[in-house]
Amino acid sequence: MIEQIDFSRNRSGYEQVLAHLNECDADFVPPLNQRLAISVYAQKLIDRAVRFEAWYDIDLVGLTALYCNDPSKSSAFITNVSVTPPWQGRGIAGLLLERCLDAMGELSFKTIELEVGQQNSAAIGLYKKYGFSLNHTNDQSLVMTLVIGN
Protein backbone atom coordinates (compact mmCIF):
# COMPACT_ATOMS: atom_id res chain seq x y z
CA MET A 1 0.00 0.00 0.00
CA ILE A 2 3.04 2.29 0.38
CA GLU A 3 3.13 2.54 -3.43
CA GLN A 4 -0.16 4.46 -3.22
CA ILE A 5 1.50 7.21 -1.18
CA ASP A 6 2.21 10.47 -2.98
CA PHE A 7 5.24 12.36 -1.68
CA SER A 8 5.36 16.11 -2.16
CA ARG A 9 6.78 19.30 -0.74
CA ASN A 10 4.77 22.21 0.72
CA ARG A 11 1.44 21.06 -0.74
CA SER A 12 -0.50 21.22 2.53
CA GLY A 13 -2.47 24.14 3.86
CA TYR A 14 -3.11 25.20 7.43
CA GLU A 15 -6.24 23.07 7.95
CA GLN A 16 -4.49 19.94 6.69
CA VAL A 17 -1.43 20.46 8.88
CA LEU A 18 -3.63 21.24 11.88
CA ALA A 19 -5.71 18.08 11.37
CA HIS A 20 -2.56 16.00 10.91
CA LEU A 21 -0.89 17.31 14.07
CA ASN A 22 -4.06 16.78 16.09
CA GLU A 23 -4.30 13.19 14.85
CA CYS A 24 -0.65 12.55 15.76
CA ASP A 25 -0.71 14.49 19.05
CA ALA A 26 -0.70 11.51 21.43
CA ASP A 27 2.21 9.86 19.59
CA PHE A 28 4.61 12.64 20.53
CA VAL A 29 6.47 12.04 23.81
CA PRO A 30 5.27 14.01 25.71
CA PRO A 31 2.09 14.75 23.72
CA LEU A 32 2.39 17.80 21.50
CA ASN A 33 -0.52 19.66 23.15
CA GLN A 34 1.32 19.55 26.48
CA ARG A 35 4.20 21.52 25.00
CA LEU A 36 2.56 24.06 22.70
CA ALA A 37 -0.64 25.34 21.14
CA ILE A 38 -1.10 23.05 18.14
CA SER A 39 -3.03 25.68 16.15
CA VAL A 40 -0.19 28.20 16.53
CA TYR A 41 2.42 25.57 15.69
CA ALA A 42 0.51 24.52 12.56
CA GLN A 43 0.48 28.12 11.34
CA LYS A 44 4.19 28.49 12.09
CA LEU A 45 4.92 25.39 9.98
CA ILE A 46 2.92 26.83 7.09
CA ASP A 47 4.63 30.22 7.38
CA ARG A 48 8.22 29.26 8.10
CA ALA A 49 9.01 25.59 7.50
CA VAL A 50 9.81 23.47 4.48
CA ARG A 51 7.37 20.57 4.65
CA PHE A 52 7.98 17.12 3.21
CA GLU A 53 4.64 15.38 2.99
CA ALA A 54 3.15 11.94 2.43
CA TRP A 55 -0.40 11.86 1.05
CA TYR A 56 -2.89 9.08 0.63
CA ASP A 57 -5.61 10.46 -1.63
CA ILE A 58 -6.60 13.75 0.09
CA ASP A 59 -5.23 12.78 3.51
CA LEU A 60 -1.94 14.10 4.86
CA VAL A 61 -0.60 10.92 6.47
CA GLY A 62 3.04 11.92 7.03
CA LEU A 63 4.82 15.19 7.68
CA THR A 64 8.43 16.19 8.21
CA ALA A 65 9.00 19.90 8.69
CA LEU A 66 12.20 21.80 9.10
CA TYR A 67 13.48 25.28 9.41
CA CYS A 68 16.27 26.05 6.99
CA ASN A 69 16.46 29.80 7.31
CA ASP A 70 20.08 30.05 8.49
CA PRO A 71 21.61 32.48 5.99
CA SER A 72 25.06 30.93 6.45
CA LYS A 73 23.53 27.53 5.52
CA SER A 74 25.38 25.97 8.38
CA SER A 75 22.46 24.38 10.23
CA ALA A 76 18.86 23.38 9.59
CA PHE A 77 16.46 22.21 12.32
CA ILE A 78 13.90 19.43 11.95
CA THR A 79 10.93 20.51 14.03
CA ASN A 80 8.50 17.72 13.20
CA VAL A 81 8.44 14.11 12.04
CA SER A 82 4.99 12.54 12.30
CA VAL A 83 2.90 9.83 10.70
CA THR A 84 -0.78 9.31 11.47
CA PRO A 85 -1.47 6.17 13.55
CA PRO A 86 -3.06 4.05 10.77
CA TRP A 87 0.03 4.57 8.60
CA GLN A 88 2.76 4.04 11.20
CA GLY A 89 5.19 1.15 10.83
CA ARG A 90 5.24 1.25 7.03
CA GLY A 91 8.48 3.19 6.53
CA ILE A 92 6.86 6.53 5.73
CA ALA A 93 8.81 8.48 8.37
CA GLY A 94 12.08 7.15 6.99
CA LEU A 95 11.13 8.00 3.41
CA LEU A 96 10.19 11.54 4.45
CA LEU A 97 13.42 11.90 6.41
CA GLU A 98 15.43 10.76 3.37
CA ARG A 99 13.78 13.39 1.19
CA CYS A 100 14.48 16.03 3.82
CA LEU A 101 18.15 15.06 4.17
CA ASP A 102 18.65 14.95 0.40
CA ALA A 103 17.17 18.43 -0.01
CA MET A 104 19.31 19.93 2.74
CA GLY A 105 22.44 18.40 1.24
CA GLU A 106 21.54 19.88 -2.15
CA LEU A 107 21.11 23.28 -0.48
CA SER A 108 24.61 22.95 1.05
CA PHE A 109 23.60 22.88 4.71
CA LYS A 110 26.38 21.53 6.90
CA THR A 111 24.34 20.10 9.79
CA ILE A 112 20.79 19.22 10.71
CA GLU A 113 19.60 19.20 14.30
CA LEU A 114 16.45 17.91 15.94
CA GLU A 115 15.04 17.46 19.40
CA VAL A 116 13.33 14.26 20.51
CA GLY A 117 11.82 13.09 23.79
CA GLN A 118 14.19 10.83 25.76
CA GLN A 119 11.37 8.27 26.11
CA ASN A 120 10.60 8.15 22.38
CA SER A 121 12.72 5.10 21.58
CA ALA A 122 11.15 4.50 18.15
CA ALA A 123 12.03 8.00 16.95
CA ILE A 124 15.51 7.86 18.48
CA GLY A 125 16.12 4.56 16.67
CA LEU A 126 14.97 6.07 13.37
CA TYR A 127 17.26 9.08 13.75
CA LYS A 128 20.25 6.90 14.67
CA LYS A 129 19.56 4.74 11.61
CA TYR A 130 20.00 7.86 9.47
CA GLY A 131 23.24 8.88 11.17
CA PHE A 132 22.08 11.36 13.81
CA SER A 133 24.11 11.32 17.02
CA LEU A 134 23.55 12.75 20.46
CA ASN A 135 24.64 16.35 20.78
CA HIS A 136 23.30 17.16 24.27
CA THR A 137 20.29 16.71 26.54
CA ASN A 138 17.62 19.17 27.72
CA ASP A 139 15.37 18.24 30.64
CA GLN A 140 13.34 15.40 29.04
CA SER A 141 14.70 15.55 25.50
CA LEU A 142 17.75 14.79 23.43
CA VAL A 143 19.23 17.11 20.85
CA MET A 144 20.65 15.10 17.97
CA THR A 145 22.83 16.29 15.10
CA LEU A 146 23.70 14.98 11.66
CA VAL A 147 26.72 16.37 9.78
CA ILE A 148 25.79 16.48 6.08
CA GLY A 149 28.39 18.77 4.56
CA ASN A 150 31.87 20.16 5.07
Side-chain angles (χ1 to χ4, degrees):
M1 193 112 128
I2 192 83
E3 62 277 353
Q4 297 175 356
I5 296 293
D6 178 32
F7 292 94
S8 62
R9 190 185 304 185
N10 296 331
R11 176 174 139 192
S12 59
Y14 169 78
E15 293 296 331
Q16 293 156 318
V17 170
L18 179 62
H20 174 83
L21 293 174
N22 279 318
E23 188 173 352
C24 296
D25 179 35
D27 293 320
F28 286 89
V29 181
L32 198 56
N33 71 6
Q34 292 179 12
R35 294 183 280 157
L36 48 77
I38 294 176
S39 60
V40 173
Y41 183 55
Q43 188 62 57
K44 186 176 178 183
L45 294 182
I46 293 295
D47 292 342
R48 299 184 186 161
V50 176
R51 299 174 316 281
F52 297 86
E53 304 161 346
W55 294 86
Y56 177 73
D57 195 20
I58 62 168
D59 296 320
L60 179 61
V61 299
L63 175 66
T64 297
L66 77 154
Y67 302 121
C68 50
N69 49 10
D70 176 358
S72 71
K73 291 195 176 196
S74 63
S75 187
F77 185 84
I78 296 175
T79 184
N80 182 81
V81 177
S82 54
V83 176
T84 58
W87 289 91
Q88 292 173 3
R90 301 182 194 200
I92 293 172
L95 292 169
L96 287 169
L97 196 55
E98 286 175 13
R99 284 163 171 75
C100 171
L101 298 177
D102 289 346
M104 292 306 97
E106 290 169 9
L107 292 173
S108 302
F109 279 84
K110 295 177 178 74
T111 62
I112 298 178
E113 287 190 339
L114 57 83
E115 189 171 342
V116 61
Q118 290 182 20
Q119 304 302 314
N120 195 339
S121 58
I124 292 168
L126 174 70
Y127 303 140
K128 284 183 177 179
K129 177 181 174 183
Y130 283 92
F132 283 84
S133 59
L134 178 64
N135 185 321
H136 63 277
T137 60
N138 293 329
D139 297 327
Q140 297 181 11
S141 63
L142 307 175
V143 176
M144 300 180 79
T145 302
L146 174 67
V147 176
I148 56 174
N150 297 325

